[in-house]
Amino acid sequence: QSLLSRSRHQKPSTSWTISDTWLNQQNSEYVGSLAIDDSCLRRLMHKSGSRHAGCIVVGTSAKIDSDSYGRVVQLKSVAGQAHMLVPQRSIHIRNSRIGSGALHVTDTGYILALSVQQREQKRRRTSTTIEAFHNTTGKLAGTWSLPRDVDWLSLTGGSGYLLFLGLRQDPWGFEIWRFPLPSQLQR
C-alpha cells in the first residue's frame, strides 16, 4: 500500500504551505532542506495557539554571481492560517548552500547542519563540518569535522547516534557512517 494513500481508519495527514515572500527572489533563493523537531511538536501538542511554532526548520540556498549562501530558518504558522508557515527567526546565515538532507534536529534540542566547503577552481569538496545550534536560543553550540575522504551528502539520527550518507570516490560507492552524538549535545 502506498504511503500516501490512507484507509478509512487512518487520520488524514496534515499539509502546510511555506510562504515564499521572505525568500530573496533576486538571488533565486529556495528552500532545499527540511527538519522537524519531534520533541518540540510533542511538547506543544496540548498548548493553545500555534502547535508547531519553531518546530519546523528549513535550510535555504541562493546564488549571488559565482558565490552561494544559505540560511537555517525556524518557521511558525500565521495567526488565523494554521497551515501557512512563515519565518519565526533566522538561526544562521553562511557562505555555502544548505543542500537536501543537510539538516537534522536531535532529540536533545539541537539543529544540526552539514556545511560543505568547496575548492573554488575544481568545485570538489574539501572539508565538511557539522554545525550545531540550540533550537531555543539559536546559539552555535559547536562544530565538528567529518573525515575528508568521503563526500558527505545527508545526515539523520536518533537514540544517541548520528548517521551520515556519503559517497566515496575511490573505490566509488555509497557509505553510511554512524557516530555517537557528541557529548556536548547530550542532555
Side-chain angles (χ1 to χ4, degrees), residues 142-157:
T143 60
W144 294 267
S145 295
L146 291 172
R148 290 180 174 239
D149 55 344
V150 175
D151 292 337
W152 299 103
L153 305 172
S154 64
L155 78 151
T156 190

Side-chain angles (χ1 to χ4, degrees), residues 106-118:
T106 69
D107 294 336
T108 56
Y110 291 91
I111 299 165
L112 304 182
L114 283 180
S115 178
V116 179
Q117 300 301 316
Q118 296 178 331

Side-chain angles (χ1 to χ4, degrees), residues 114-125:
L114 283 180
S115 178
V116 179
Q117 300 301 316
Q118 296 178 331
R119 197 176 322 154
E120 284 301 314
Q121 298 158 338
K122 302 206 181 211
R123 287 293 195 209
R124 292 194 176 188
R125 296 168 196 253

Side-chain angles (χ1 to χ4, degrees), residues 29-95:
E29 186 176 20
Y30 63 93
V31 172
S33 193
L34 169 85
I36 306 288
D37 184 343
D38 288 334
S39 298
C40 175
L41 286 176
R42 282 192 296 276
R43 279 192 314 273
L44 296 178
M45 190 165 272
H46 301 293
K47 291 185 177 182
S48 62
S50 177
R51 294 192 337 223
H52 51 272
C55 299
I56 299 172
V57 180
V58 295
T60 71
S61 294
K63 192 167 183 127
I64 302 174
D65 300 321
S66 62
D67 295 324
S68 60
Y69 72 89
R71 295 191 282 171
V72 177
V73 179
Q74 282 181 310
L75 301 177
K76 65 177 184 175
S77 59
V78 176
Q81 295 179 316
H83 297 282
M84 174 62 72
L85 299 175
V86 296
Q88 178 176 352
R89 69 179 166 162
S90 184
I91 299 273
H92 183 62
I93 300 172
R94 66 180 188 198
N95 292 330

Side-chain angles (χ1 to χ4, degrees), residues 128-142:
T128 303
T129 57
I130 308 163
E131 300 167 320
F133 305 93
H134 197 277
N135 69 346
T136 57
T137 66
K139 291 184 180 178
L140 181 66

